């Protein structure tokens, strides 16, 4: 079957959807282990009451997983989990973008958001897979700012245009308040989890629609005169 430049083969769409779900689930669990390793190497994080409430008993229970090497090395090693997670949710967002075929201002909002996901993914790779942690961490902060501000704009556009699933659009809008709420309890990486689940949900809906059928996520088009 021939696929146009804006289409992704159904088999590939299903693979992206499955990877997005798998990595969101993996990140939800493994992300907390990384958070504990972060706290173990940065004890000042225990000054946050909500963090201390769950982290202290969890660290006692999982001590063998945290003390097998130098605390910072353990933290840096577990941080590697975020690269495949970020790749998966960025791919899921790209899949939805390609199927939606947005126009006008929404198209630019999508491009800014996808660029931010790409920068974030490169930042995570550099942060945990190279010695230049500080430099790549700075790039990640830029990406997070674009995700927070640009994502809110895109989310509002999606809500106004009737995008489904609406959950994904609202998670884009609420990224910043959720970011602050999550980082009060656990590590910064886990603040990405709402986005991961949101794009997994959207990719699942995309992958479930046949290519020959009109797609419910497509951006609305203005009627033309015959």
């Amino acid at each position: 079957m021939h696929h146009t430049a804006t289409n992704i083969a159904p088999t590939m769409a299903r693979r992206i959807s499955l990877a997005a779900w798998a990595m969101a689930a993996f990140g939800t669990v493994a992300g907390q282990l990384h958070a504990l390793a972060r706290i173990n190497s940065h004890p000042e994080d225990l000054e946050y009451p909500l963090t201390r409430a769950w982290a202290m008993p969890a660290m006692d229970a999982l001590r063998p997983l945290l003390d097998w090497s130098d605390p910072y090395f353990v933290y840096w090693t577990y941080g590697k989990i975020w690269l495949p997670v970020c790749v998966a949710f960025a791919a899921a967002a790209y899949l939805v973008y390609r199927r939606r075929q947005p126009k006008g201002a929404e198209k630019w909002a999508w491009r800014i958001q996808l660029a931010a996901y790409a920068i974030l993914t490169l930042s995570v790779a550099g942060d945990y897979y190279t010695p230049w942690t500080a430099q790549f961490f700075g790039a990640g902060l830029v990406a997070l700012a674009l995700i927070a501000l640009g994502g809110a704009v895109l989310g509002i556009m999606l809500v106004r245009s009737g995008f489904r699933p609406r959950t994904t659009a609202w998670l884009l809008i609420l990224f910043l308040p959720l970011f602050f709420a999550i980082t009060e309890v656990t590590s910064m990486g886990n603040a990405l989890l709402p986005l991961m689940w949101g794009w997994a949900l959207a990719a699942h809906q995309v992958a479930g629609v046949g290519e020959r059928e009109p797609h419910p996520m497509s951006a609305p088009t203005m009627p033309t005169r015959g």
Side-chain angles (χ1 to χ4, degrees), residues 5 62-63 74 80 94 172:
L62 300 174
R63 184 58 60 185
V74 174
K80 297 177 187 297
Y94 182 69
L172 288 171

Side-chain angles (χ1 to χ4, degrees), residues 6-216:
T6 56
N7 285 338
I8 294 176
T11 300
M12 179 59 67
R14 286 192 293 271
R15 288 175 180 171
I16 292 173
S17 173
L18 180 60
W21 280 112
M23 287 296 101
F26 172 69
T28 300
V29 176
Q32 308 321 309
L33 182 59
H34 178 241
L36 292 175
R38 153 81 195 191
I39 296 165
N40 196 43
S41 62
H42 299 76
E44 63 274 13
D45 289 355
L46 292 172
E47 294 175 4
Y48 295 92
L50 294 177
T51 300
R52 185 171 60 251
W54 77 275
M56 291 297 290
M59 290 170 68
D60 289 340
L62 300 174
R63 184 58 60 185
L65 296 178
L66 301 173
D67 286 351
W68 51 269
S69 186
D70 171 80
Y72 189 83
F73 181 76
V74 174
Y75 162 67
W76 186 71
T77 301
Y78 286 148
K80 297 177 187 297
I81 67 159
W82 294 116
L83 180 58
V85 173
C86 287
V87 169
F89 92 80
Y94 182 69
L95 168 65
V96 178
Y97 164 74
R98 290 286 294 269
R99 287 292 180 87
R100 183 166 172 78
Q101 302 178 34
K103 308 294 182 184
E106 185 189 316
K107 184 175 183 179
W108 283 104
W110 271 99
R111 287 180 173 180
I112 292 170
Q113 198 66 181
L114 292 171
Y117 294 164
I119 294 170
L120 180 67
T121 302
L122 288 174
S123 170
V124 169
D127 201 356
Y128 294 110
Y129 287 84
T130 77
W132 303 292
T133 298
Q135 293 86 341
F136 280 101
F137 181 75
L141 294 179
V142 173
L144 288 173
L146 290 173
I147 291 170
L149 300 177
V153 173
L154 176 59
I156 291 169
M157 289 180 174
L158 294 178
V159 168
R160 293 183 64 182
S161 65
F163 178 86
R164 295 292 185 276
R166 293 178 72 88
T167 300
T168 302
W170 279 106
L171 288 174
L172 288 171
I173 295 170
L174 296 173
F175 175 81
L176 192 57
L178 287 173
F179 178 91
F180 287 117
I182 291 170
T183 52
E184 282 290 316
V185 179
T186 184
S187 65
M188 186 182 294
N190 288 288
L192 297 172
L193 290 173
L195 279 183
M196 296 170 192
W197 285 107
W199 287 122
L201 184 63
H204 175 75
Q205 185 160 322
V206 164
V209 177
E211 285 208 335
R212 295 179 180 273
E213 302 174 11
H215 203 283

